[in-house]
Amino acid sequence: MPGTFHPAPVDTEGFGRELDKIRDEVLASLGERDAAYIRRLIAVQRKLELSGRALLFASWLPPAWAAGTAALAVAKILENMEIGHNVLHGQWDWMRDPKIHSTTWEWDTASPADQWKHSHNFVHHTWTNVLGKDRDIGYSAMRITPEQPWHPIYLAQPFYNALLALFFEYGIAIYDLELERIPSGRKDPKEAFAQARAVAAKIRRQIVKDYIAFPLLAGPAFLPVLLGNLTANLARNVWAHTIIFCGHFPEGAEVFTEDRLENETRGEWYVRQLLGSCNIDGGRLFHIMSGNLSHQIEHHLFPDLPSNRYAEIAPRVRALCERFGLPYTSGSLARQVGSVWKRVLRLALPGPSRPSAAEPPASTLKAAA
Amino acid sequence: MSPATVLRRLSAAAQWLTSPLLPEDYLSLINPLWTTRELCGRVEAVHAETSDAATLTIRPGRGWVPHRPGQWVRIGVDIDGRRHWRTFSLSSAPGSSGDCVTVTVKAVQGGLVSNHLVRRTVVGTVLRLGRPEGVFVLPEPPPPRLLFVTAGSGITPVMAMLDGLRLDSAGGPDIVLVHSAPTPDDVIFGRRLRSLATRHSRLRLYERHTRVEGRLRPADLARLCPDWTERSVWVCGPPAMLDDIAAHWTGPADEFHVERFSLAPAAAAGSGGRVRFTRSGREAETDGGTPLLVVGENAGVVMPSGCRMGICYGCVARLRSGQVRDVRTGQVHGDAGEMIQTCVSVAAGPVEIEL
């Protein structure tokens, strides 16, 4: 729960300078190796997708169905997470390749890249974990911190969180429309309508591709192909939901109040990003499959550094946190998922009242800094 | 239905299978030249011309439009992960190297791209290509009397022209070529030019070896080619030579053609400068401290924007010309066509942005 971290005075500006140094070092060393990484990954992902679809054409053989579906699911996960998410962050813009560029990339999910870039890159990454500013806190649908006032609708949140996991891509697309801002006039309904049409067009193409065109091409294997594609999409959704919820909602991630933003310095911004994010421990393959969001802390400190570098700088960031007396939250996937679900279940009910509600940790830290 | 229509419809149908990507994104896994959205070419051969110049034979991919001799092409090359674009004259006539074209590059001292192309390009490298451009091309039919004045790598477009002219036909043009290079060994295409001149009496070649004889003067031209002002003149070389000869030209203006390899020298990376937003037509004078995003907004340009701190890439825009400084690193950068983050970039000299 928020408020567990009560810092001694922290040299936030010194911390920020050290992080800037890491950032500059990485930027200065970007080159051939990094370019080769993303190009190879994209090629592997596309070949995996082609193999998966080819195998599914032979899906009257049950092992072919299983292998094809698995390959397609992995391809879709890579496409969304390690490739799409990170390309759209501009992590690869430095290569100046218009084919791998944040302004031209489009991905295989219901959210059009433009809309997602606004709600994610700008709103979420700038105002990470600030109540009332970062809409990603509970995705405007869930109560994941006691500071959010309770409402009876939250009693159903364990149920709709499970539903959201299954249909995550649609959930995110609808969420990006910012419908909750329309009644207060902060969002023009016309704009939301235009965005909804763009979402519908994308969903239509995905449905035609995965549930009509490829099954029809498979002829007698129509049904197994359709089911394989559906399974791959659902698996991708559940995986993305799982990883993403572990980024900011487990035990240890803090939320902040808006006063924290006033005159926030570079160092304070870094500290907020650190305190609001949680890592997941794992091996190299796991990190790639998570889109390196398992390095959520490094990603939030440096959202535009190429994801293949996060694992390299993670030990240095961790050591810096130790040196400056700042917490660095990391845990196994099982632990973080358990922590998230504990929160979703507990906060479905009213309370708990925060012990130090009068003095939220964000302000404490700011005063100390 | 014509085959082209069938192909287009098939491609449109295939796009439903590859959405949100294009069929060519998958086809290029097999052969990178099978893309049309981004014109590519594969290096088929690298041939050293002099100690610091090389000819690259390039097989263009789908979508290549045959060029006219004398035209240039933009070439995009990835160096250390980053794409760099430069312009080079095509040095062969269409069809003379099979389906391939050639460019001949001279390594400029300190030049990142030219040195890479001359010394570190291997057969099989895939380059990005623009479309052939430029108006430094002979009319059809060619003028009966021609004078080419070239220096250094300025010979490259003229080599393509000579390649395209039928020197052996009786009615072919009468050609004088005056070429300057420091020494005989530095003459790009030296052996080929000399052999052409020996075989074809209608081609007279004068080599000017500047290390011994000094730079070519307009007076020298009049001596080597007394009727030079009555010829159709084509000049390609360093700006000083071009200006010098142009100043002495007394013939008809439409018979004098120049190709400049370097436009006005890039403004020294100073601080601030005039910023022009090309699509909206707005301009502003700026200091070296105001981000281009703010400059544009103050000038009334609809600027895409986001976090305003360099993390979200909501503000990137295409740089048409000039250089910018990254306020975070102090690094000055900027190639024409580069996408820059306007919120953390300030002008380093005059800048044009496509907004």
Side-chain angles (χ1 to χ4, degrees):
Chain A
M1 300 289 146
T4 47
F5 173 59
H6 295 282
V10 170
D11 176 14
T12 46
E13 296 322 297
F15 181 65
R17 277 194 298 275
E18 291 293 329
L19 288 176
D20 278 339
K21 220 187 281 173
I22 293 180
R23 180 188 154 80
D24 292 345
E25 270 177 46
V26 174
L27 281 179
S29 67
L30 292 180
E32 191 54 48
R33 169 168 75 98
D34 306 277
Y37 171 79
I38 190 66
R39 292 221 164 88
R40 202 177 70 213
L41 189 74
I42 289 172
V44 165
Q45 185 273 329
R46 287 179 187 169
K47 287 174 187 166
L48 200 60
E49 185 192 341
L50 291 172
S51 319
R53 295 199 187 274
L55 278 166
L56 278 172
F57 277 180
S59 55
W60 34 270
L61 285 168
W65 187 88
T69 303
L72 191 57
V74 171
K76 279 177 177 274
I77 285 169
L78 287 175
E79 194 269 354
N80 270 198
M81 303 191 72
E82 180 67 344
I83 303 173
H85 168 269
N86 293 331
V87 170
L88 289 176
H89 258 292
Q91 292 182 4
W92 302 99
D93 283 11
W94 60 273
M95 300 199 308
R96 305 180 202 147
D97 181 345
K99 285 247 172 188
I100 310 177
H101 201 277
S102 65
T103 55
T104 59
W105 195 266
E106 191 51 86
W107 55 349
D108 180 23
T109 183
S111 304
D114 277 344
Q115 293 180 30
W116 182 83
K117 277 190 286 187
H118 171 79
S119 68
H120 179 84
N121 289 5
F122 169 41
V123 178
H124 168 57
H125 271 271
T126 311
W127 293 320
T128 310
N129 281 28
V130 175
L131 275 168
K133 294 288 263 181
D134 180 4
R135 297 177 58 250
D136 278 21
I137 297 177
Y139 291 96
S140 329
M142 257 175 290
R143 183 167 180 255
I144 55 99
T145 166
E147 277 90 343
Q148 291 171 284
W150 184 80
H151 185 279
I153 190 144
Y154 292 130
L155 286 170
Q157 77 175 15
F159 168 71
Y160 61 71
N161 189 35
L163 210 61
L164 176 65
L166 275 177
F167 300 102
F168 193 54
E169 60 170 319
Y170 305 115
I172 291 297
I174 294 166
Y175 162 77
D176 286 351
L177 301 178
E178 306 179 304
L179 297 176
E180 85 282 2
R181 292 163 69 93
I182 293 176
S184 60
R186 285 177 301 167
K187 173 110 181 180
D188 184 353
K190 270 191 228 143
E191 190 195 343
F193 183 69
Q195 288 181 334
R197 286 182 56 149
V199 170
K202 273 208 81 177
I203 292 178
R204 195 184 61 177
R205 288 197 82 95
Q206 197 193 49
I207 286 177
V208 168
K209 175 171 83 164
D210 282 342
Y211 306 132
I212 299 173
F214 273 108
L216 279 177
L217 277 178
F222 181 93
L223 204 60
V225 168
L226 187 146
L227 287 176
N229 292 352
L230 179 68
T231 309
N233 275 327
L234 293 182
R236 183 265 317 269
N237 285 348
V238 171
W239 178 255
H241 173 273
T242 304
I243 296 296
I244 289 162
F245 267 55
C246 288
H248 301 292
F249 305 157
E251 194 75 44
E254 286 195 28
V255 295
F256 308 94
T257 47
E258 271 191 58
D259 58 345
R260 159 97 192 190
L261 292 172
E262 265 172 57
N263 302 318
E264 190 180 52
T265 64
R266 180 83 177 150
E268 287 163 350
W269 183 84
Y270 272 135
V271 171
R272 175 160 60 81
Q273 298 298 336
L274 167 74
L275 299 183
S277 309
C278 306
N279 281 9
I280 314 170
D281 304 329
R284 183 152 186 263
L285 186 65
F286 170 73
H287 289 314
I288 293 178
M289 289 297 287
S290 78
N292 269 299
L293 293 182
S294 48
H295 294 114
Q296 188 76 227
I297 293 174
E298 288 72 24
H299 174 56
H300 262 267
L301 295 173
F302 312 114
D304 60 343
L305 289 189
S307 56
N308 62 322
R309 295 300 192 104
Y310 290 153
E312 279 174 33
I313 58 174
R316 296 175 65 188
V317 172
R318 193 170 202 146
L320 272 185
C321 290
E322 230 162 78
R323 197 175 115 201
F324 283 85
L326 288 161
Y328 182 99
T329 314
S330 190
S332 70
L333 181 64
R335 207 193 92 181
Q336 303 297 64
V337 171
S339 176
V340 168
W341 274 97
K342 204 172 102 192
R343 223 187 233 212
V344 169
L345 290 167
R346 171 60 191 91
L347 293 176
L349 303 170
S353 58
R354 284 178 32 78
S356 57
E359 198 184 19
S363 313
T364 315
L365 187 71
K366 192 165 171 80
Chain B
M1 264 194 302
S2 73
T5 318
V6 174
L7 212 63
R8 207 168 46 241
R9 294 206 177 154
L10 266 178
S11 159
Q15 275 181 39
W16 283 95
L17 296 176
T18 59
S19 168
L21 298 178
L22 299 169
E24 66 175 52
D25 291 323
Y26 293 93
L27 289 176
S28 64
L29 291 173
I30 307 167
N31 184 342
L33 301 190
W34 289 349
T35 67
T36 49
R37 295 290 167 114
E38 187 182 43
L39 194 51
C40 294
R42 189 194 288 115
V43 176
E44 301 280 318
V46 182
H47 168 73
E49 297 287 352
T50 66
S51 61
D52 60 358
T55 293
L56 308 183
T57 305
I58 300 169
R59 179 177 302 285
R62 280 173 56 194
W64 173 257
V65 186
H67 67 287
R68 296 176 64 191
Q71 285 193 305
W72 45 264
V73 65
R74 290 175 64 231
I75 292 187
V77 51
D78 290 341
I79 304 172
D80 214 9
R82 285 174 183 78
R83 185 152 307 165
H84 299 262
W85 285 90
R86 294 290 186 276
T87 301
F88 297 99
S89 285
L90 290 149
S91 55
S92 61
S96 65
S97 315
D99 295 335
C100 295
V101 297
T102 66
V103 291
T104 303
V105 182
K106 184 167 186 290
V108 191
Q109 203 170 14
L112 175 73
V113 175
S114 63
N115 277 284
H116 182 88
L117 286 175
V118 171
R119 307 188 201 285
R120 288 185 294 279
T121 302
V122 294
V123 170
T125 303
V126 173
L127 303 169
R128 268 69 192 178
L129 303 176
R131 287 172 182 273
E133 287 179 74
V135 294
F136 192 69
V137 290
L138 292 175
E140 195 55 50
R145 283 191 298 164
L146 286 161
L147 168 65
F148 295 114
V149 186
T150 59
S153 57
I155 186 66
T156 50
V158 172
M159 191 68 241
M161 290 179 179
L162 292 175
D163 205 16
L165 287 170
R166 271 173 299 153
L167 297 174
D168 43 7
S169 71
D174 175 81
I175 304 166
V176 177
L177 167 59
V178 181
H179 177 69
S180 300
T183 70
D185 285 343
D186 292 316
V187 176
I188 298 173
F189 308 123
R191 195 175 294 172
R192 201 165 145 200
L193 289 171
R194 287 161 207 145
S195 143
L196 278 177
T198 319
R199 280 186 288 134
H200 302 289
S201 58
R202 303 181 74 90
L203 170 64
R204 272 178 290 155
L205 168 69
Y206 296 105
E207 289 184 42
R208 174 86 171 194
H209 302 131
T210 53
R211 192 157 295 163
V212 185
E213 301 165 82
R215 265 172 48 186
L216 183 80
R217 301 281 160 209
D220 303 322
L221 262 188
R223 185 171 49 77
L224 293 169
C225 183
D227 63 345
W228 78 286
T229 54
E230 289 153 33
R231 287 176 174 256
S232 174
V233 177
W234 301 74
V235 191
C236 185
M241 182 186 92
L242 266 48
D243 296 339
D244 206 14
I245 297 174
H248 288 78
W249 176 250
T250 52
D254 58 351
E255 289 300 338
F256 190 78
H257 312 267
V258 295
E259 180 78 325
R260 287 176 191 274
F261 275 177
S262 52
L263 287 168
S271 218
R274 188 142 199 92
V275 182
R276 203 166 80 80
F277 297 89
T278 56
R279 256 182 247 155
S280 53
R282 291 175 194 266
E283 292 191 23
E285 202 65 49
T286 166
D287 57 20
T290 314
L292 291 169
L293 173 60
V294 178
V295 173
E297 286 172 337
N298 291 344
V301 183
V302 183
M303 301 289 289
S305 70
C307 67
R308 294 174 172 270
M309 53 193 298
I311 60 163
C312 86
Y313 285 71
C315 66
V316 288
R318 194 177 297 278
L319 186 68
R320 180 174 287 180
S321 74
Q323 294 220 299
V324 297
R325 186 164 56 81
D326 187 320
V327 294
R328 297 167 301 180
T329 60
Q331 190 208 1
V332 174
H333 61 101
D335 280 341
E338 186 179 337
M339 302 297 290
I340 57 162
Q341 290 172 275
T342 60
C343 75
V344 289
S345 299
V346 297
V351 166
E352 285 185 305
I353 294 172
E354 292 186 10
L355 275 177

